[in-house]
């Protein structure tokens, strides 16, 4: 019975901490040390994540096209390669 009481106390403490964290994250309660009259400059950097995403997408497309072009150029069987011409002529003679 005593252990059940400790569990309820622990759950109540955890619930209180989670509620306080939730209120802080949603802006209902300011964080300690944060001035209430401090102006926010959120408007200037509202779309900064979109710019970062755009630049990363361009970089990924560039690197992907370079890798794809390199692997395709290595796979292409060059018909005009002298070695392949020699083998082709040699096999047809036999």
């Amino acid at each position: 019975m005593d252990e059940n009481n400790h569990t309820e106390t622990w759950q109540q403490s955890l619930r209180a901490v989670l509620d306080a964290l939730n209120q802080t994250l949603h802006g209902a309660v300011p964080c300690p040390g944060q001035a209430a009259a401090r102006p926010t400059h959120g408007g200037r950097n509202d779309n900064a994540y979109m710019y970062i995403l755009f630049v990363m997408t361009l970089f990924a497309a560039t690197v992907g096209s370079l890798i794809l072009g390199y692997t395709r150029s290595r796979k292409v069987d060059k018909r005009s390669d002298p070695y392949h011409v020699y083998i082709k002529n040699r096999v047809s003679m036999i």
Side-chain angles (χ1 to χ4, degrees), residues 47-57:
N47 293 325
Y49 66 93
M50 290 299 291
Y51 174 74
I52 292 170
L53 184 64
F54 177 72
V55 170
M56 288 178 64
T57 303

Side-chain angles (χ1 to χ4, degrees), residues 17-94:
V17 169
L18 289 176
D19 287 339
L21 180 63
N22 196 19
Q23 289 176 356
T24 303
L25 290 176
H26 289 297
V29 177
C31 294
Q34 183 182 16
R38 195 168 107 195
T40 59
H41 300 299
R44 189 177 73 187
N45 295 325
D46 278 347
N47 293 325
Y49 66 93
M50 290 299 291
Y51 174 74
I52 292 170
L53 184 64
F54 177 72
V55 170
M56 288 178 64
T57 303
L58 286 179
F59 178 74
T62 303
V63 170
S65 65
L66 288 174
I67 291 172
L68 187 64
Y70 178 75
T71 54
R72 283 191 176 177
S73 72
R74 301 297 289 169
K75 286 183 180 178
V76 171
D77 187 23
K78 307 252 191 292
R79 301 277 181 212
S80 61
D81 187 13
Y83 178 74
H84 291 292
V85 172
Y86 172 76
I87 294 297
K88 181 180 172 186
N89 291 338
R90 185 81 172 156
V91 170
S92 64
M93 286 175 36
I94 297 176

